Amino acid sequence: ITIPNSVKIIEDFAFANCTYLFKIVIPSSVKQIGNNAFKGCISLEEITLNPYVTMFEPDAFNECPLLNHLVFSSSVTKISQYYFPRIGNLKEITIPNSVNLIDDFSLNDLTSLEKISIPPSVKIIPKNVFSGCSNIKELTIDPYLTTFDKDTFKNCPFLKCLNIHNSVVTLNKFNFSSIGDLTTITIPKSVKTI
């Protein structure tokens, strides 16, 4: 389903029980999503939206058991504190290159989150941004462009896999032990020199 930019409100039960709907992009023109708008969309896995522009009722995504991937729309430039657990059972978050700032505690307590990709446009990751995200297993990052505190990933005991962002062309000396207890590091084809 493609929602045009002319839409401002998605009414109550608008897409309820669309059992074959698996992915939806909500434009930033949509300011409000009503009660049970996507209730019973049992195949819905991924949603793209700007949660700071689009307000929605706590039960807008009621009974969407597979909704586990949030993609921030490209209109988002800053990720602030927000109650993301109301968007399904998030296991993966995709942050676009438009984002250049992530606030402290903005992604905290996402206990189901397993995978996150942080673009090189984000220069600093605050210390407590992943506080309580106890199940993160995989991180994609450019460790030379994005700086973070030594305790940023301290409470992520399952973080074992680091994917180096494809913006990296040279691997220099870096304290990779500051990113969890890594067992796997994936080097992209963009890297020419180690």
Side-chain angles (χ1 to χ4, degrees):
I1 295 174
T2 301
I3 299 175
N5 287 324
S6 56
V7 174
K8 304 281 190 276
I9 298 173
I10 297 175
E11 298 282 358
D12 296 358
F13 296 95
F15 295 99
N17 300 312
C18 290
T19 56
Y20 294 103
L21 180 65
F22 70 94
K23 182 178 178 180
I24 191 157
V25 177
I26 298 175
S28 295
S29 62
V30 174
K31 306 303 181 199
Q32 182 180 344
I33 301 174
N35 279 311
N36 297 299
F38 294 93
K39 179 181 180 179
C41 294
I42 57 173
S43 300
L44 184 61
E45 296 179 3
E46 179 178 308
I47 184 167
T48 300
L49 83 161
N50 182 338
Y52 308 111
V53 169
T54 304
M55 300 297 121
F56 48 88
E57 298 297 330
D59 56 358
F61 302 101
N62 202 10
E63 298 175 25
C64 298
L66 300 181
L67 181 53
N68 57 30
H69 187 186
L70 168 65
V71 180
F72 284 99
S73 70
S74 58
S75 62
V76 177
T77 58
K78 174 183 176 183
I79 296 178
S80 304
Q81 197 165 11
Y82 186 85
Y83 189 63
F84 290 106
R86 73 169 61 173
I87 306 175
N89 187 33
L90 293 178
K91 293 186 176 180
E92 182 176 359
I93 292 179
T94 301
I95 300 173
N97 285 321
S98 57
V99 172
N100 51 45
L101 185 62
I102 300 178
D103 279 347
D104 231 8
F105 294 102
S106 56
L107 297 171
N108 66 318
D109 294 330
L110 286 171
T111 55
S112 58
L113 187 64
E114 295 180 357
K115 184 177 180 181
I116 189 160
S117 178
I118 299 174
S121 56
V122 176
K123 303 304 181 196
I124 298 173
I125 303 175
K127 178 178 178 179
N128 296 304
V129 82
F130 296 112
S131 175
C133 296
S134 54
N135 282 305
I136 291 182
K137 296 178 173 71
E138 185 175 335
L139 170 71
T140 301
I141 195 171
D142 181 335
Y144 304 109
L145 288 179
T146 304
T147 59
F148 46 88
D149 188 275
K150 65 181 176 65
D151 293 327
T152 299
F153 303 104
K154 185 172 81 172
N155 297 317
C156 304
F158 298 106
L159 180 54
K160 306 290 185 189
C161 179
L162 170 67
N163 300 317
I164 296 175
H165 202 279
N166 61 15
S167 60
V168 177
V169 293
T170 301
L171 288 181
N172 297 314
K173 186 176 180 181
F174 181 80
N175 183 13
F176 287 101
S177 64
S178 61
I179 306 177
D181 295 322
L182 297 177
T183 59
T184 305
I185 296 177
T186 303
I187 299 172
K189 290 180 179 177
S190 60
V191 173
K192 307 295 185 216
T193 308
I194 297 178

mmCIF file of all heavy atoms in Angstrom, residues 141-142 164-171 186-194:
data_model
loop_
_atom_site.group_PDB
_atom_site.id
_atom_site.type_symbol
_atom_site.label_atom_id
_atom_site.label_comp_id
_atom_site.label_asym_id
_atom_site.label_seq_id
_atom_site.Cartn_x
_atom_site.Cartn_y
_atom_site.Cartn_z
ATOM 1 N N ILE A 141 28.341 -0.101 11.988
ATOM 2 C CA ILE A 141 28.811 1.235 12.365
ATOM 3 C C ILE A 141 30.109 1.538 11.618
ATOM 4 O O ILE A 141 30.797 0.636 11.148
ATOM 5 C CB ILE A 141 29.044 1.291 13.898
ATOM 6 C CG1 ILE A 141 29.171 2.721 14.419
ATOM 7 C CG2 ILE A 141 30.235 0.457 14.310
ATOM 8 C CD1 ILE A 141 29.175 2.810 15.928
ATOM 9 N N ASP A 142 30.413 2.833 11.483
ATOM 10 C CA ASP A 142 31.727 3.265 11.015
ATOM 11 C C ASP A 142 32.488 3.736 12.249
ATOM 12 O O ASP A 142 32.271 4.848 12.734
ATOM 13 C CB ASP A 142 31.600 4.404 9.997
ATOM 14 C CG ASP A 142 32.956 4.868 9.475
ATOM 15 O OD1 ASP A 142 33.963 4.683 10.190
ATOM 16 O OD2 ASP A 142 33.015 5.411 8.362
ATOM 17 N N ILE A 164 31.283 -3.603 9.873
ATOM 18 C CA ILE A 164 31.886 -2.291 9.614
ATOM 19 C C ILE A 164 31.195 -1.684 8.403
ATOM 20 O O ILE A 164 31.022 -2.327 7.368
ATOM 21 C CB ILE A 164 33.396 -2.435 9.394
ATOM 22 C CG1 ILE A 164 34.032 -2.953 10.695
ATOM 23 C CG2 ILE A 164 34.024 -1.112 8.977
ATOM 24 C CD1 ILE A 164 35.490 -3.265 10.599
ATOM 25 N N HIS A 165 30.762 -0.442 8.572
ATOM 26 C CA HIS A 165 30.000 0.253 7.537
ATOM 27 C C HIS A 165 30.791 0.351 6.232
ATOM 28 O O HIS A 165 32.011 0.492 6.250
ATOM 29 C CB HIS A 165 29.625 1.656 8.040
ATOM 30 C CG HIS A 165 28.460 2.244 7.332
ATOM 31 N ND1 HIS A 165 28.573 2.842 6.113
ATOM 32 C CD2 HIS A 165 27.147 2.310 7.684
ATOM 33 C CE1 HIS A 165 27.383 3.275 5.728
ATOM 34 N NE2 HIS A 165 26.504 2.963 6.665
ATOM 35 N N ASN A 166 30.070 0.283 5.121
ATOM 36 C CA ASN A 166 30.759 0.314 3.810
ATOM 37 C C ASN A 166 31.306 1.690 3.438
ATOM 38 O O ASN A 166 31.802 1.883 2.335
ATOM 39 C CB ASN A 166 29.863 -0.242 2.699
ATOM 40 C CG ASN A 166 28.589 0.542 2.518
ATOM 41 O OD1 ASN A 166 28.457 1.662 3.006
ATOM 42 N ND2 ASN A 166 27.628 -0.045 1.829
ATOM 43 N N SER A 167 31.244 2.642 4.372
ATOM 44 C CA SER A 167 31.916 3.933 4.154
ATOM 45 C C SER A 167 33.407 3.823 4.485
ATOM 46 O O SER A 167 34.191 4.696 4.141
ATOM 47 C CB SER A 167 31.268 5.008 5.033
ATOM 48 O OG SER A 167 31.377 4.652 6.405
ATOM 49 N N VAL A 168 33.801 2.744 5.158
ATOM 50 C CA VAL A 168 35.188 2.580 5.585
ATOM 51 C C VAL A 168 36.029 2.020 4.438
ATOM 52 O O VAL A 168 35.661 1.025 3.813
ATOM 53 C CB VAL A 168 35.283 1.625 6.804
ATOM 54 C CG1 VAL A 168 36.733 1.388 7.196
ATOM 55 C CG2 VAL A 168 34.499 2.197 7.980
ATOM 56 N N VAL A 169 37.167 2.664 4.160
ATOM 57 C CA VAL A 169 38.079 2.171 3.121
ATOM 58 C C VAL A 169 39.414 1.712 3.697
ATOM 59 O O VAL A 169 40.134 0.943 3.077
ATOM 60 C CB VAL A 169 38.328 3.230 2.017
ATOM 61 C CG1 VAL A 169 37.055 3.501 1.227
ATOM 62 C CG2 VAL A 169 38.880 4.517 2.601
ATOM 63 N N THR A 170 39.731 2.159 4.909
ATOM 64 C CA THR A 170 40.984 1.763 5.559
ATOM 65 C C THR A 170 40.705 1.385 7.008
ATOM 66 O O THR A 170 40.025 2.118 7.724
ATOM 67 C CB THR A 170 42.006 2.913 5.534
ATOM 68 O OG1 THR A 170 42.257 3.290 4.179
ATOM 69 C CG2 THR A 170 43.321 2.495 6.186
ATOM 70 N N LEU A 171 41.217 0.233 7.439
ATOM 71 C CA LEU A 171 41.103 -0.162 8.839
ATOM 72 C C LEU A 171 42.384 0.224 9.563
ATOM 73 O O LEU A 171 43.453 -0.316 9.279
ATOM 74 C CB LEU A 171 40.867 -1.669 8.964
ATOM 75 C CG LEU A 171 39.482 -2.188 8.554
ATOM 76 C CD1 LEU A 171 39.403 -3.686 8.759
ATOM 77 C CD2 LEU A 171 38.381 -1.496 9.336
ATOM 78 N N THR A 186 32.703 -8.260 10.436
ATOM 79 C CA THR A 186 32.538 -8.349 8.988
ATOM 80 C C THR A 186 33.127 -7.098 8.344
ATOM 81 O O THR A 186 32.702 -5.979 8.639
ATOM 82 C CB THR A 186 31.050 -8.484 8.610
ATOM 83 O OG1 THR A 186 30.510 -9.627 9.274
ATOM 84 C CG2 THR A 186 30.897 -8.648 7.108
ATOM 85 N N ILE A 187 34.109 -7.307 7.476
ATOM 86 C CA ILE A 187 34.782 -6.204 6.783
ATOM 87 C C ILE A 187 34.168 -6.071 5.387
ATOM 88 O O ILE A 187 34.124 -7.049 4.635
ATOM 89 C CB ILE A 187 36.294 -6.473 6.683
ATOM 90 C CG1 ILE A 187 36.893 -6.591 8.102
ATOM 91 C CG2 ILE A 187 37.003 -5.382 5.892
ATOM 92 C CD1 ILE A 187 38.331 -7.036 8.130
ATOM 93 N N PRO A 188 33.701 -4.880 5.019
ATOM 94 C CA PRO A 188 33.049 -4.721 3.715
ATOM 95 C C PRO A 188 34.060 -4.681 2.561
ATOM 96 O O PRO A 188 35.263 -4.481 2.770
ATOM 97 C CB PRO A 188 32.326 -3.378 3.855
ATOM 98 C CG PRO A 188 33.178 -2.618 4.810
ATOM 99 C CD PRO A 188 33.731 -3.625 5.777
ATOM 100 N N LYS A 189 33.559 -4.835 1.360
ATOM 101 C CA LYS A 189 34.408 -4.805 0.162
ATOM 102 C C LYS A 189 35.018 -3.433 -0.081
ATOM 103 O O LYS A 189 35.995 -3.314 -0.819
ATOM 104 C CB LYS A 189 33.590 -5.217 -1.062
ATOM 105 C CG LYS A 189 33.205 -6.685 -1.063
ATOM 106 C CD LYS A 189 32.406 -7.055 -2.298
ATOM 107 C CE LYS A 189 32.063 -8.528 -2.297
ATOM 108 N NZ LYS A 189 31.236 -8.910 -3.446
ATOM 109 N N SER A 190 34.444 -2.411 0.557
ATOM 110 C CA SER A 190 34.961 -1.055 0.393
ATOM 111 C C SER A 190 36.352 -0.900 0.988
ATOM 112 O O SER A 190 37.109 -0.001 0.591
ATOM 113 C CB SER A 190 34.007 -0.046 1.034
ATOM 114 O OG SER A 190 33.870 -0.314 2.429
ATOM 115 N N VAL A 191 36.721 -1.760 1.942
ATOM 116 C CA VAL A 191 38.036 -1.662 2.599
ATOM 117 C C VAL A 191 39.134 -2.102 1.659
ATOM 118 O O VAL A 191 39.118 -3.202 1.111
ATOM 119 C CB VAL A 191 38.072 -2.509 3.894
ATOM 120 C CG1 VAL A 191 39.480 -2.546 4.466
ATOM 121 C CG2 VAL A 191 37.101 -1.925 4.931
ATOM 122 N N LYS A 192 40.111 -1.206 1.461
ATOM 123 C CA LYS A 192 41.243 -1.481 0.569
ATOM 124 C C LYS A 192 42.529 -1.753 1.337
ATOM 125 O O LYS A 192 43.436 -2.412 0.845
ATOM 126 C CB LYS A 192 41.494 -0.287 -0.384
ATOM 127 C CG LYS A 192 40.267 0.155 -1.166
ATOM 128 C CD LYS A 192 39.803 -0.906 -2.130
ATOM 129 C CE LYS A 192 38.655 -0.355 -2.973
ATOM 130 N NZ LYS A 192 37.648 -1.362 -3.274
ATOM 131 N N THR A 193 42.618 -1.175 2.556
ATOM 132 C CA THR A 193 43.858 -1.266 3.328
ATOM 133 C C THR A 193 43.569 -1.618 4.774
ATOM 134 O O THR A 193 42.647 -1.064 5.366
ATOM 135 C CB THR A 193 44.609 0.084 3.296
ATOM 136 O OG1 THR A 193 44.758 0.519 1.951
ATOM 137 C CG2 THR A 193 45.991 -0.059 3.941
ATOM 138 N N ILE A 194 44.346 -2.532 5.325
ATOM 139 C CA ILE A 194 44.268 -2.859 6.742
ATOM 140 C C ILE A 194 45.635 -2.596 7.356
ATOM 141 O O ILE A 194 46.632 -3.122 6.882
ATOM 142 C CB ILE A 194 43.865 -4.333 6.973
ATOM 143 C CG1 ILE A 194 42.453 -4.586 6.399
ATOM 144 C CG2 ILE A 194 43.887 -4.673 8.465
ATOM 145 C CD1 ILE A 194 41.987 -6.014 6.534
#
